[in-house]
Amino acid sequence: MQTAILMELQYLGTVQYYSKFLKHDSIYLEQHENYRKGSFRNRCYIATANGVIPLSIPLLKGKHQQANIRSIKIDNSKNWQTLHWRSIKTAYGSSPFFEYYQDDFEILYHKPYVLLFDFCLDLQELVLNCLQITPNIHLSETFVKTPQKEVLDFRNCILPKNYTAPADASFKPAPYPQVFEDRLGFVSNLSILDLLFCTGPEAVYYLQTSIL
């Protein structure tokens, strides 16, 4: 039985991504991979009154595909933190639990970051604290193409909808109340922010219910 899982670090990862923190005994975060474009490493999706929109962290130009993920630098000339936080606040300001969590997230959006990995790692720690779960997390010690058989290799298995992601037989999104459900219908597998701000302490319940 694969009780451990190896995944990339995502920017405010999806509901599917965070369900793995409950399903597996140990989480290994890949820190020795090369950056991959078109993934959730620097992008997340939130639901707004006008539909689902991406929030993408701008990166300094360079050959990111050949660069180690720990060396990827953010392009802070774009004022992206202010824009992202404004979008999040506009989208979820009326959600039931936004006010409860907003101060903790806002602090990180006002803190200067140079490296993408550092920002995403701090956000992940905050999300896990908000979910009140304490998974056994390790950073990978070296890059391994094929992990040991007891470790499920789930790198690049959760991708934006415009990219082809492998089927996940252990995840089926459980519907929950959303801010704009009356306009958009239920939108599955958004950023964990959507679940957290909409359901608060019950977010863990919906994560557990999504695990098959």
Side-chain angles (χ1 to χ4, degrees):
M1 180 179 180
Q2 293 172 313
T3 58
I5 188 170
L6 173 64
M7 301 189 293
E8 72 274 11
L9 179 64
Q10 297 188 357
Y11 172 43
L12 292 171
T14 65
V15 173
Q16 179 187 8
Y17 179 82
Y18 277 95
S19 73
K20 305 307 177 187
F21 288 78
L22 290 177
K23 179 177 174 60
H24 293 272
D25 295 334
S26 295
I27 311 293
Y28 289 88
L29 296 177
E30 180 61 78
Q31 66 168 344
H32 293 285
E33 65 175 359
N34 287 339
Y35 173 78
R36 172 172 171 167
K37 295 181 180 179
S39 70
F40 286 119
R41 287 165 179 80
N42 69 318
R43 177 194 316 185
C44 69
Y45 286 87
I46 62 172
T48 74
N50 297 317
V52 176
I53 65 168
L55 300 179
S56 296
I57 300 174
L59 306 176
L60 290 177
K61 296 190 181 299
K63 296 181 179 180
H64 292 143
Q65 290 288 103
Q66 289 78 41
N68 180 273
I69 189 65
R70 293 299 301 254
S71 69
I72 300 298
K73 294 183 178 180
I74 299 171
D75 184 355
N76 286 308
S77 69
K78 306 294 186 180
N79 198 31
W80 65 275
Q81 284 176 298
T82 298
L83 296 175
H84 281 208
W85 181 246
R86 186 182 299 158
S87 296
I88 292 168
K89 192 171 183 178
T90 300
Y92 297 110
S94 63
S95 64
F97 296 94
F98 179 76
E99 290 186 359
Y100 184 78
Y101 297 115
Q102 70 167 324
D103 289 347
D104 292 332
F105 282 96
E106 189 169 9
I107 288 173
L108 295 185
Y109 279 92
H110 285 89
K111 179 180 176 181
Y113 285 90
V114 174
L115 298 176
L116 173 68
F117 198 92
D118 292 345
F119 179 59
C120 292
L121 195 62
D122 282 355
L123 276 174
Q124 183 179 93
E125 181 179 358
L126 174 56
V127 168
L128 294 173
N129 286 337
C130 292
L131 293 171
Q132 296 185 324
I133 59 177
T134 54
N136 189 16
I137 297 177
H138 314 270
L139 294 177
S140 64
E141 296 181 357
T142 185
F143 182 82
V144 178
K145 185 175 182 180
T146 304
Q148 298 177 352
K149 62 180 181 180
E150 64 269 18
V151 178
L152 175 63
D153 186 357
F154 219 69
R155 294 170 295 186
N156 301 314
C157 288
I158 301 175
L159 298 170
K161 292 181 179 180
N162 53 329
Y163 294 87
T164 302
D168 184 358
S170 64
F171 175 78
K172 183 178 181 180
Y176 57 89
Q178 293 179 322
V179 179
F180 303 107
E181 190 170 357
D182 58 334
R183 303 185 193 184
L184 307 177
F186 175 71
V187 183
S188 65
N189 213 22
L190 294 168
S191 164
I192 190 65
L193 285 186
D194 190 85
L195 177 63
L196 191 62
F197 291 152
C198 290
T199 65
E202 293 186 350
V204 171
Y205 164 78
Y206 286 101
L207 285 176
Q208 290 173 331
T209 306
S210 298
I211 298 172
L212 301 178

